[in-house]
Amino acid sequence: MTLLKIPKGGAVSTLSPTRVPASGPKSRRRQSAHRGHATAAWLLIAPALIGFLVFAVYPTVRGTYFSFTTYHILSPAEWTGLANFRQMIHDPVFWHSLRATLYFVVLSVTIGILVSLLTAVILHRLTRSTVIRGLVILPFLISGVVAAVIWSWMLDPQLGIVNVAIKAVTGQRVEFLGSSALAIPSVAMISVWKSMGYNAVLIFAGLQTIPGEIYEAARLDGASEVRMFRHITVPLLRPILAMVVILTVISSIQVFDIVQVATKGGPANASNVLQMYIYDTAFSQYNFGYASAMSLALFAMLTAITFIQLRVSRANESDTN
Amino acid sequence: MSLLSSTQRVAGKPRASTRPSRPPIGRAAAWIYVGVILAVTIFPFYWILRTALSSNDALSRDPQSLAPVGLTLNGFGRVLGLVHGNATGTLSALDSGDLLLYLRNSTLYASLMTVAVIFCSTTAAYAFSRLHWRGRNLIFSLFLVALMVPGIMSMLPNFVLIKDLGLLNTFPGLILPGALFSAFNIFFLRQFMLGLPSEIDEAARIDGAGPIRSLFSVTIPMTMGPITTLTILTFINTWNEYFWPLLVTNDKSTEPLTVGLASFQQNAPTVAPDWGGLMAATLVAALPMLLVFVIFGRRIVNSIGFTGIR
């Protein structure tokens, strides 16, 4: 892989010039070396900068503004202060969808991380085959829409192969996506199926950075596989595990495509996750003000969760670094 | 990255020599686990193919057969607009041949987006890593903050903006918000370019090349590896994008496959849905990604370790 060939020390020499004192012959030579840099630099970052200002900063500011207004897209936004947030506090659907989202996040993160960790550790001990790791990430390459369509066929209560198998064993059919109790767990299962391999390969890469000598020494001391896993693998893997957890939480809090295609938020709001509710509020009820307010709340939650997780994982870093 | 590969090489050898000492039962159980995981991963893909090759009547009579039942290419014929109606002459939305339009739209959308965002990110990363100018660190840290803001926060206002610009149902409307700026791509490429030796810039300068010529003649060729990786990942992500296209397109002249497939699924009759046709459409929608996988699979697997973000 060409990617792995990084010349040593290169990073240091390119970073240092900014700290050179602004006097003496050396700095003058530096400045002439950098002549034309500023013009070229502004030219080269211009597209990214415009994209950043117009499609990232401006909409974020504007979205925050919308959340304090009543805005039905056809007429101009009208400032109503905290009305949207007051409505949110008294909106049972909002609280319901928040609970549904958290239920989904807890299920898909715990099951997803456990299965991918186990898969990564086992693959790491058994084989270095890129083919097997490749097959495992296959679901990561297809869209959530495709994953949801396949699984709604396989989980179909009448003809789906999963239900045919369940009926053969237990004599009963199970309404996976069509029952309020099972809608969220089923959707979480589809999400785990889609992202498990990707996370496993990510953790696998982390495992490859742990020196084999450590296991060697532990084995000489008579440590069992389970003990080695608990006392070597888990502590040394903590930084990458923290990253995988954060990424999975962030993406599953914003789950939309799988839910929208597999259950449309139903039955009867059972799987109406937050992003689904925001989408409906904006595009079925055209209530952009309220939808923006809920987006802002989601943003605040994501920021808080990321911050807490970073703090927690950093607090534990001392035993790894 | 270089660190990772070297420890990996060191780590590989001694462990291989100790393998036989592990209990064989544990190894067998581990292989069984891997087998189950692989089966659960791959079976749905086989099931798409099996269903797509089956006729709907046979599917309802014989749902459990592992091989295609009532073997037919009718499903593919219908979604590709070659055949109209199934054996019983029933027409559905799938028969219109719209899938080919969706396929074209997805190809255009993903290609244009990928080319644009990789180009803009490469030039920006170069300015942030190889050029010296005032404000460089300030702007770069502002860019990094954007990594923290979730998509939903900017998507509704971006929809309003695209609508006000009159760009709903157009490719510029689909592409613009993502085409110019990608904090992750810039961050990733900058990180790599920082590691290139500074001598190459001096050599280029002595040869009389300005910063921009040196970008195209020296830096980009040396960064081809990461650029290729990001190109593949961006293409996959754009191809699979659903939320944004759902907001800005509602016409088959611009709707990509994800939106089209979802509408097929949602408009299917609840009684006796056309599973054969739907799975044929699903296969066509997933096929380009499966091709990408066959061609670039090894590269994707190896890149996941150090990109770390989807």
Side-chain angles (χ1 to χ4, degrees):
Chain A
M1 278 221 46
T2 47
L3 266 175
L4 300 173
K5 291 181 210 142
I6 297 182
K8 292 205 177 84
V12 181
S13 62
T14 46
L15 274 173
S16 51
T18 46
R19 292 198 196 108
V20 170
S23 64
K26 201 179 171 194
S27 88
R28 223 169 290 135
R29 201 164 356 109
R30 283 260 179 221
Q31 263 161 18
S32 75
H34 303 153
R35 189 183 297 140
H37 275 199
T39 323
W42 285 104
L43 195 69
L44 291 172
I45 66 155
L49 191 60
I50 292 170
F52 173 69
L53 293 174
V54 177
F55 297 108
V57 176
Y58 173 60
T60 307
V61 173
R62 204 178 181 199
T64 312
Y65 165 71
F66 283 159
S67 52
F68 296 98
T69 64
T70 296
Y71 182 37
H72 290 274
I73 202 106
L74 290 176
S75 50
E78 208 177 293
W79 184 267
T80 48
L82 292 172
N84 287 324
F85 296 95
R86 237 173 271 132
Q87 182 185 350
M88 203 187 301
I89 291 170
H90 300 293
D91 179 0
V93 184
F94 171 76
W95 292 106
H96 172 85
S97 66
L98 190 59
R99 273 195 302 275
T101 310
L102 292 181
Y103 187 27
F104 175 85
V105 170
V106 168
L107 281 180
S108 52
V109 172
T110 48
I111 299 173
I113 298 294
L114 284 179
V115 178
S116 15
L117 181 61
L118 188 61
T119 309
V121 169
I122 286 181
L123 280 182
H124 186 245
R125 308 297 265 145
L126 283 184
T127 170
R128 273 161 214 287
S129 156
T130 318
V131 175
I132 293 189
R133 268 180 291 152
L135 289 175
V136 167
I137 61 156
L138 205 45
F140 160 69
L141 300 184
I142 58 165
S143 64
V145 174
V146 168
V149 173
I150 306 176
W151 281 99
S152 25
W153 161 226
M154 293 184 37
L155 297 176
D156 184 73
Q158 296 306 316
L159 300 175
I161 183 69
V162 175
N163 255 314
V164 169
I166 291 175
K167 176 120 196 295
V169 178
T170 66
Q172 288 178 15
R173 298 178 192 282
V174 181
E175 284 268 0
F176 284 100
L177 298 166
S179 83
S180 339
L182 287 180
I184 286 279
S186 308
V187 173
M189 193 278 303
I190 301 175
S191 159
V192 168
W193 176 78
K194 182 159 155 39
S195 58
M196 189 286 290
Y198 176 85
N199 289 335
V201 172
L202 203 54
I203 298 172
F204 186 96
L207 287 171
Q208 287 185 319
T209 62
I210 303 177
E213 290 84 350
I214 301 184
Y215 291 100
E216 208 65 6
R219 203 170 290 125
L220 286 178
D221 290 347
S224 68
E225 291 277 332
V226 177
R227 265 184 81 86
M228 286 195 282
F229 176 76
R230 274 193 52 197
H231 296 285
I232 301 174
T233 311
V234 170
L236 287 179
L237 208 56
R238 197 168 272 151
I240 202 150
L241 271 183
M243 185 182 78
V244 175
V245 171
I246 292 180
L247 288 177
T248 315
V249 169
I250 290 178
S251 69
S252 48
I253 262 190
Q254 300 178 78
V255 64
F256 179 76
D257 44 10
I258 294 180
V259 174
Q260 212 248 357
V261 176
T263 67
K264 294 178 204 155
N269 272 340
S271 58
N272 194 357
V273 289
L274 209 46
Q275 184 128 331
M276 184 84 208
Y277 185 44
I278 294 174
Y279 170 79
D280 266 345
T281 307
F283 291 91
S284 306
Q285 303 160 30
Y286 301 104
N287 195 344
F288 266 66
Y290 189 38
S292 301
M294 288 192 287
S295 309
L296 192 63
L298 185 62
F299 177 32
M301 279 183 271
L302 273 172
T303 314
I305 290 171
T306 314
F307 185 72
I308 293 168
Q309 281 184 327
L310 281 177
R311 284 297 291 269
V312 169
S313 64
R314 206 170 286 159
N316 289 327
E317 240 168 39
S318 52
D319 58 340
T320 64
N321 293 339
Chain B
M1 270 170 277
S2 54
L3 190 100
L4 190 141
S5 67
S6 63
T7 48
Q8 172 187 333
R9 244 174 278 128
V10 177
K13 274 192 181 160
R15 210 164 318 147
S17 62
T18 59
R19 253 179 209 164
S21 68
R22 237 171 283 136
I25 299 168
R27 280 183 69 80
W31 273 113
I32 291 172
Y33 174 82
V34 172
V36 170
I37 288 287
L38 283 180
V40 172
T41 304
I42 298 165
F43 182 77
F45 290 94
Y46 170 70
W47 209 241
I48 310 178
L49 182 67
R50 176 262 182 194
T51 312
L53 291 172
S54 302
S55 79
N56 284 324
D57 308 342
L59 276 178
S60 54
R61 265 183 279 113
D62 190 5
Q64 74 274 11
S65 162
L66 288 179
V69 285
L71 188 67
T72 171
L73 286 174
N74 176 273
F76 287 105
R78 282 185 296 134
V79 296
L80 296 176
L82 305 171
V83 184
H84 289 280
N86 57 16
T88 52
T90 324
L91 281 166
S92 75
L94 289 165
D95 290 272
S96 53
D98 287 351
L99 194 74
L100 291 174
L101 274 179
Y102 298 143
L103 194 61
R104 181 206 69 176
N105 297 341
S106 273
T107 311
L108 262 174
Y109 169 42
S111 316
L112 291 174
M113 176 72 104
T114 305
V115 169
V117 77
I118 295 294
F119 179 81
C120 297
S121 307
T122 308
T123 59
Y126 175 78
F128 283 125
S129 58
R130 314 294 299 177
L131 301 181
H132 302 268
W133 45 288
R134 280 175 59 176
R136 178 173 93 155
N137 294 341
L138 175 72
I139 294 185
F140 184 69
S141 19
L142 285 179
F143 276 18
L144 280 190
V145 174
L147 275 176
M148 308 274 190
V149 182
I152 184 73
M153 199 51 211
S154 51
M155 270 194 201
L156 295 183
N158 263 336
F159 166 81
V160 177
L161 179 63
I162 291 297
K163 185 186 153 292
D164 290 345
L165 293 172
L167 293 175
L168 291 184
N169 275 319
T170 65
F171 283 101
L174 264 177
I175 291 158
L176 264 179
L180 301 175
F181 171 66
S182 155
F184 172 70
N185 286 349
I186 294 174
F187 177 74
F188 183 72
L189 288 173
R190 170 187 171 269
Q191 211 58 22
F192 185 86
M193 288 179 182
L194 279 177
L196 298 174
S198 60
E199 286 79 15
I200 61 164
D201 290 333
E202 274 155 41
R205 189 164 42 85
I206 288 162
D207 289 348
I212 293 187
R213 247 194 69 200
S214 143
L215 161 67
F216 287 101
S217 57
V218 182
T219 309
I220 289 185
M222 291 184 79
T223 318
M224 234 29 226
I227 290 180
T228 313
T229 303
L230 283 183
T231 304
I232 299 166
L233 291 180
T234 307
F235 189 83
I236 295 173
N237 284 338
T238 315
W239 188 274
N240 291 338
E241 178 66 41
Y242 179 59
F243 196 67
W244 179 248
L246 181 69
L247 300 192
V248 292
T249 62
N250 61 2
D251 187 278
K252 57 189 170 191
S253 63
T254 44
E255 276 175 341
L257 273 167
T258 45
V259 177
L261 189 65
S263 75
F264 282 153
Q265 152 97 355
Q266 282 159 354
N267 296 331
T270 40
V271 180
D274 177 11
W275 287 117
L278 201 56
M279 286 300 124
T282 307
L283 190 62
V284 173
L287 206 57
M289 289 303 102
L290 300 180
L291 279 179
V292 167
F293 172 74
V294 169
I295 300 168
F296 299 110
R298 181 176 293 269
R299 190 174 199 113
I300 297 170
V301 170
N302 289 328
S303 72
I304 285 177
F306 51 84
T307 55
I309 287 188
R310 39 204 92 198

